Amino acid sequence: MTDLFFVGGIWSIPLLGKLMRKDITVSESVSEQCERFMAELSKRMNCTVAFGTRRGLRLYTAGSFIKEKQTLVNGYKLALLSKRWLVNSEALSKMVSNGVRIIATPTCGMNDYSEWDDKYYFWSHAQMIGYYCLKATFVGRILRNQLKDKACVCAPIPITQSQDGYIVRNESIEGSAVLLAELDMEKLEKFLAEQNQIFGAFAR
């Protein structure tokens, strides 16, 4: 399993359930136990935990379940979204306008990894709209399936050190990894202010 820990206090962990292929199932009791464990972890570490179960995506902050799937982490708003929402430009733009700066998405690998799929869902809108995109993914061999994917943290190209739109990324599509990343919120706020100034001038 690949998970992401962020210095700002965010754990984003994909668990088996709705994120998996239809022919790979997990019992309701296992899903419940996982949720209890993650809630307790969130409480004891006083952090935010994002994960997926048979019941859908779950977000806990300091042990409390966040039904709205949005919470503040060190003063900045985080939203937990499913993968399909990452191509809804209008909804993402509205979220950023309303203060969302971090979007976390737990997902699951597939038998055939697609670099284009990765760019299309996770990387592209982080560039166009301007936010940190946190992707946690489940990889490894499950029954006869070899699940392949790459966990990553995406951000607008100008604020990434390597100038490629990635803060950090797992280079292996099969191996598990723990990715550590510090999110520079001041750089992101400065980027958004500059973009608003540029596009505001065009609008006039």
Side-chain angles (χ1 to χ4, degrees), residues 1 22-23 27 54 67 74 84 88-89 97 104 106 112-113 116 118 132 141-142 171 176-178 186 199 202:
M1 181 169 70
K22 292 181 179 179
D23 56 339
S27 70
R54 287 173 59 91
K67 185 177 180 181
N74 292 346
R84 62 187 176 87
N88 189 327
S89 301
S97 296
D112 296 313
Y113 171 74
W116 165 249
D118 203 44
Y132 285 110
R141 181 169 293 279
I142 304 295
E171 293 305 320
S176 297
V178 176
E186 290 184 6
F199 288 107
F202 279 124

Side-chain angles (χ1 to χ4, degrees), residues 1 9 28-29 48 51 61 74 78 90 106 109 155 174 185 188 191:
M1 181 169 70
E28 184 69 23
S29 62
T48 297
F51 59 99
T61 294
N74 292 346
L78 173 142
E90 185 176 352
E174 297 183 6
M185 306 310 294
L188 180 61
F191 171 82

Side-chain angles (χ1 to χ4, degrees), residues 125-131 155-159 185-199:
H125 283 75
Q127 314 306 316
M128 292 188 292
I129 298 169
Y131 56 83
I157 288 174
I159 70 172
M185 306 310 294
E186 290 184 6
K187 280 186 178 181
L188 180 61
E189 293 295 341
K190 183 179 179 182
F191 171 82
L192 291 172
E194 291 173 350
Q195 293 298 104
N196 288 335
Q197 188 175 13
I198 292 171
F199 288 107

Side-chain angles (χ1 to χ4, degrees), residues 23-62:
D23 56 339
I24 307 176
T25 60
V26 173
S27 70
E28 184 69 23
S29 62
V30 170
S31 204
E32 289 177 5
Q33 290 172 18
C34 287
E35 185 165 352
R36 288 196 206 101
F37 173 80
M38 299 306 288
E40 186 65 21
L41 176 67
S42 172
K43 181 180 179 180
R44 294 196 178 199
M45 298 192 66
N46 192 30
C47 67
T48 297
V49 182
F51 59 99
T53 71
R54 287 173 59 91
R55 302 171 181 175
L57 299 182
R58 290 288 186 267
L59 184 66
Y60 281 83
T61 294

Side-chain angles (χ1 to χ4, degrees), residues 159-174:
I159 70 172
T160 59
Q161 186 174 4
S162 55
Q163 296 289 295
D164 62 357
Y166 291 101
I167 301 295
V168 66
R169 190 184 193 199
N170 183 16
E171 293 305 320
S172 171
I173 62 174
E174 297 183 6

Side-chain angles (χ1 to χ4, degrees), residues 62-98:
S64 298
F65 174 62
I66 309 299
K67 185 177 180 181
E68 297 78 14
K69 294 187 175 62
Q70 289 192 13
T71 189
L72 289 177
V73 178
N74 292 346
Y76 293 94
K77 191 179 289 187
L78 173 142
L80 176 64
L81 297 179
S82 62
K83 183 178 174 180
R84 62 187 176 87
W85 280 99
L86 297 182
V87 293
N88 189 327
S89 301
E90 185 176 352
L92 292 172
S93 295
K94 187 175 181 179
M95 285 184 182
V96 171
S97 296
N98 290 333

